[in-house]
Amino acid sequence: MACLLAGAADRAFGLPLSHSPRPELRPAGPVASGADALIEAARLGGKIGFVVADARTGAVLEARNPILRLPPASTAKAVTTLYALAKLPPDYRFQTRVLATGPVRGGRVEGDLVLAGTGDPVLDTDTLAGLAAGLKAAGVREVAGKFRYFAGALPHLKVIDPEQPDHVSYNPAVSGLNLNFNRVLFEWHRASAGWDVTMDARSNSYRPRVGMSRMRVVNRQSPIYTYDDRAGTDDWTVASAVLGNGGSRWLPVRKPALYAAEVFQTLARSHGIVLPAPVATPALPQGTVVVAHDSPALRELLADMLKYSTNMTAEVIGMTATYAAGGHPVSLSGSAAAMNDWLDETLGIRRARFVDHSGLGSGSRIAPADMVKLLVAAGPDGPLRPLMKPVWLRDAKGRPVKDHPVRIRAKTGTLNFASALTGYVTTADGRELAFATFMADEERRAKLDRASRERPEGGRSWATRARTLQLQLIERWATLYGA
């Protein structure tokens, strides 16, 4: 019998288990061969591992390669969620402040003005506009000193995974001051002589242009994009052959703190507040808070992270959890190592290896048995399940059946030729199951060069077959192992 952690079911997942269940697997037989037929029909190649267990007792009902370590992809965010709830209070909020280092007299700050972040992963242009309006309401019109920005609450990391193409927006920078998930909108329109291009910090209400990220159209066929860090600027080029008459695309920002400060300067100007050019400050100055903004509570941030699989949110929250526990990593791998240690200390999971908190890095590995062990320990009534998004079984035409009696709460994960799904299932008669499925053709993954990793040939159809297989397995388990 698996035990929940000490304390009530809705407490953060953080204390050691009273004991660690290691139930015996059922022997392979006719039941397991049914799964083999589904796997053969999927034609995925590579390696497949899964475990399904009773979510309340931990009794393993069926398994294939249960201790084979495979890429978790974005299902790593489920681990990050429990790690964050163990190290941070559930109502934890990231605060962004505007400080004045001197008094405000006659609308003038007699000192510096400082935009200071703590890493808020969902800070957007609309929020910065609210801070600028609050600055005006506080009577500020100008600054005698400098306009500084502080992002030192977290280390500045230019990318999450250096193996990804430069231009993919799911691989942005991370810092203590972030904006718009550290993405900038590149938009283009055909003009009489070429194209008109803009780079802006688009939001629901605003579209301030930015100068720290620039785009040039170059007469070429390929590569589609190039990136260079030039004189403090994100310098992009795009191939003219692919532009057509117009369009837009989000691109990653590599200097997010400067990006946020520049956009705030523009928004302040719209309220008649003149700020000098922003300059970075390595240490947070002492000052009076003029206006501040708190992010949504941690639980809400985690739910959105699991729903939309936002990599930057996962990395910010994971590193913040490590810092809160007393660690001071300067890299994602260093913070992920602290999460690995937590898995070992809390559950005795020693073989899992995460290199980041989002699952984007290809070096992360975990066995399905260990992922299910984590889910059983958290419990079907614990803090993770309600934060996971619903996943629907599908009919013969591939359409989701939202009134299906089998209910699933899970986290998906997709990398090139790697697919994962893990979570909880409630069968039609109410039995609770925990499961993890990992599938990867690592030989095909290894053959991909960096430029082809955004849309590799055959990748989409492989991912579709993998997701179909995962849902077929779940439907099979719900039928076989109902109470």
Side-chain angles (χ1 to χ4, degrees):
M1 177 74 72
C3 294
L4 295 177
L5 301 176
D10 63 351
R11 285 191 57 188
F13 181 83
L15 300 177
L17 291 172
S18 58
H19 63 275
S20 177
R22 286 285 187 183
E24 294 295 324
L25 300 180
R26 291 187 176 189
V31 169
S33 66
D36 291 340
L38 294 174
I39 291 168
E40 183 177 355
R43 298 177 291 107
L44 292 178
K47 300 174 182 177
I48 294 174
F50 64 73
V51 170
V52 59
D54 186 293
R56 297 195 181 278
T57 69
V60 174
L61 305 173
E62 189 173 318
R64 179 187 178 96
N65 294 324
I67 61 172
L68 178 65
R69 297 190 305 163
L70 290 168
S74 282
T75 64
K77 295 181 177 73
V79 181
T80 298
T81 295
L82 292 172
Y83 178 60
L85 291 173
K87 304 300 181 182
L88 297 167
D91 58 351
Y92 179 88
R93 297 173 189 269
F94 295 87
Q95 187 173 74
T96 305
R97 298 172 292 166
V98 180
L99 308 170
T101 65
V104 179
R105 296 192 181 100
R108 177 184 172 97
V109 175
E110 300 296 343
D112 296 338
L113 195 73
V114 185
L115 176 65
T118 57
D120 186 350
V122 296
L123 188 74
D124 61 12
T125 297
D126 286 348
T127 303
L128 281 188
L131 288 173
L135 199 61
K136 178 182 179 180
V140 174
R141 297 292 179 271
E142 60 180 325
V143 177
K146 296 180 179 181
F147 171 42
R148 300 183 181 274
Y149 59 91
F150 173 73
L154 294 175
H156 175 207
L157 308 171
K158 288 189 175 182
V159 295
I160 295 172
D161 177 20
E163 296 180 1
Q164 300 294 327
D166 286 329
H167 60 276
V168 292
S169 62
Y170 56 77
N171 186 36
V174 181
S175 85
L177 184 57
N178 306 296
L179 181 67
N180 298 333
F181 298 101
N182 294 340
R183 305 173 307 162
V184 62
L185 188 67
F186 162 46
E187 189 170 37
W188 66 93
H189 300 281
R190 176 77 75 170
S192 57
W195 290 265
D196 289 332
V197 302
T198 59
M199 303 283 269
D200 68 61
R202 191 76 56 93
S203 69
N204 292 331
S205 305
Y206 302 91
R207 49 186 305 173
R209 295 194 179 189
V210 300
M212 53 71 58
S213 187
R214 300 174 184 174
M215 178 65 74
R216 291 181 293 117
V217 179
V218 177
N219 184 18
R220 66 170 186 254
Q221 293 285 331
S222 65
I224 297 176
Y225 292 98
T226 69
Y227 170 79
D228 189 23
D229 184 345
R230 181 174 299 177
T233 301
D234 285 348
D235 191 74
W236 294 93
T237 72
V238 62
S240 59
V242 303
L243 291 183
N245 290 325
S248 63
R249 172 172 182 145
W250 289 101
L251 293 173
V253 168
R254 302 295 176 216
K255 302 172 178 63
L258 174 60
Y259 175 51
E262 183 182 301
V263 171
F264 183 74
Q265 180 193 32
T266 299
L267 294 168
R269 188 185 308 121
S270 71
H271 288 287
I273 305 170
V274 179
L275 299 179
V279 293
T281 180
L284 181 63
Q286 295 293 317
T288 302
V289 176
V290 182
V291 62
H293 169 78
D294 288 344
S295 76
L298 178 63
R299 284 187 180 274
E300 184 177 342
L301 295 176
L302 292 170
D304 282 351
M305 177 194 75
L306 293 172
K307 180 178 181 179
Y308 299 108
S309 206
T310 44
N311 293 329
M312 196 205 74
T313 301
E315 304 302 355
V316 166
I317 290 177
M319 284 197 296
T320 301
T322 300
Y323 272 64
H328 295 281
V330 296
S331 66
L332 292 179
S333 61
S335 183
M339 188 168 75
N340 296 337
D341 291 342
W342 169 79
L343 283 170
D344 184 3
E345 295 163 2
T346 304
L347 284 169
I349 295 176
R350 298 179 177 85
R351 288 168 44 82
R353 179 178 183 266
F354 292 94
V355 299
D356 56 31
H357 297 287
S358 65
L360 184 59
S362 61
S364 292
R365 295 288 186 276
I366 188 171
D370 285 334
M371 183 67 85
V372 167
K373 185 178 183 181
L374 185 72
L375 295 176
V376 170
D381 303 319
L384 177 60
R385 181 175 183 162
L387 300 178
M388 289 177 147
K389 67 179 181 181
V391 173
W392 313 105
L393 293 176
R394 296 179 179 270
D395 63 17
K397 294 183 178 180
R399 298 170 300 194
V401 182
K402 296 192 175 182
D403 60 350
H404 200 288
V406 175
R407 300 184 303 281
I408 308 166
R409 287 271 181 172
K411 180 71 191 80
T412 59
T414 303
L415 295 171
N416 292 325
F417 302 109
S419 182
L421 185 67
T422 187
Y424 299 93
V425 177
T426 305
T427 67
D429 50 10
R431 188 178 189 182
E432 306 286 3
L433 308 178
F435 72 92
T437 64
F438 299 138
M439 307 169 180
D441 190 335
E442 296 186 279
E443 184 175 341
R444 292 182 74 176
R445 282 176 53 78
K447 292 178 180 178
L448 297 175
D449 60 27
R450 189 165 179 261
S452 65
R453 287 176 182 166
E454 184 180 15
R455 292 186 181 91
E457 183 178 354
R460 180 172 294 182
S461 62
W462 189 95
T464 299
R465 296 196 306 275
R467 188 67 71 232
T468 299
L469 173 59
Q470 289 158 356
L471 294 178
Q472 289 173 337
L473 289 170
I474 291 172
E475 188 166 19
R476 177 177 174 278
W477 295 333
T479 301
L480 288 175
Y481 303 121

